[in-house]
C-alpha cells in the first residue's frame, strides 16, 4: 500500500498543457517530453545503422520512443528520478549472470600436517 505524502511539492507536477488557447488532449510532465525527444533520434540512428536509410516520417521510431518513455516513467516517482531508473536498468542489464552449469567448489583437504615447535 502506498501512502500519499502531505507535502504539496511532491504532488505538484510540472505539466505542459499546450499552447495558449489550445489544450492538448494528453497532459505529460516536461521530463517525458524531454526523454521522448532524446529517444526518437536515438531510434532513428539505430534504424539507420541497420538499413542505411532515413525515412521521411519515422513512424516505428516514434512508436518505440512512446513505448520506451511510458515504460521508463512507470517507475519514476518523486524519490526516484528518470535518470536513476535508466541507470538502474543499464546496471541490471550488464550484471554478471549465474553460470549455466553448476560449478563445484574445490575441496580443501590437508594430506600432510606438520607441527613445528618454532616459527620461521
Amino acid at each position: 500500500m502506498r501512502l500519499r505524502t502531505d507535502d504539496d511539492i511532491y504532488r505538484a507536477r510540472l505539466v505542459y498543457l499546450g499552447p495558449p488557447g489550445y489544450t492538448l488532449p494528453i497532459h505529460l510532465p516536461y521530463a517525458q517530453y524531454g526523454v521522448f525527444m532524446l529517444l526518437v533520434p536515438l531510434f532513428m540512428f539505430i534504424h539507420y545503422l541497420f538499413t542505411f536509410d532515413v525515412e521521411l516520417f519515422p513512424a516505428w521510431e516514434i512508436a518505440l520512443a512512446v513505448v520506451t518513455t511510458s515504460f521508463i516513467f512507470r517507475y519514476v516517482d518523486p524519490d526516484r528520478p528518470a535518470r536513476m531508473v535508466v541507470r538502474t536498468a543499464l546496471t541490471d542489464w550488464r550484471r554478471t549472470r549465474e553460470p549455466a552449469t553448476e560449478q563445484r567448489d574445490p575441496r580443501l583437504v590437508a594430506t600432510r600436517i606438520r607441527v613445528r615447535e618454532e616459527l620461521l
Side-chain angles (χ1 to χ4, degrees):
M1 178 169 101
R2 298 183 77 170
L3 299 175
R4 293 192 62 138
T5 61
D6 295 334
D7 211 357
D8 287 337
I9 194 70
Y10 282 121
R11 286 188 281 151
R13 290 179 42 183
L14 297 174
V15 176
Y16 178 67
L17 300 175
Y22 300 100
T23 304
L24 294 175
I26 56 172
H27 300 170
L28 298 175
Y30 287 112
Q32 286 186 1
Y33 286 110
V35 170
F36 175 77
M37 293 297 179
L38 289 174
L39 288 176
V40 170
L42 175 71
F43 287 134
M44 287 177 68
F45 179 70
I46 292 171
H47 178 80
Y48 175 76
L49 289 178
F50 283 113
T51 63
F52 296 111
D53 184 33
V54 177
E55 297 182 19
L56 183 62
F57 181 71
W60 285 105
E61 290 83 356
I62 290 173
L64 283 171
V66 167
V67 169
T68 306
T69 302
S70 65
F71 186 72
I72 289 171
F73 278 87
R74 184 179 301 164
Y75 299 103
V76 172
D77 58 11
D79 296 326
R80 187 183 312 137
R83 86 179 104 83
M84 296 309 288
V85 172
V86 172
R87 181 186 295 175
T88 303
L90 291 175
T91 303
D92 289 348
W93 176 64
R94 292 184 303 197
R95 70 178 170 86
T96 58
R97 305 237 190 291
E98 292 292 326
T101 60
E102 182 180 345
Q103 296 178 352
R104 297 181 60 128
D105 291 333
R107 284 182 19 184
L108 301 174
V109 178
T111 55
R112 294 186 315 176
I113 297 176
R114 255 192 256 177
V115 179
R116 295 184 180 163
E117 295 292 329
E118 57 191 52
L119 294 175
L120 295 176

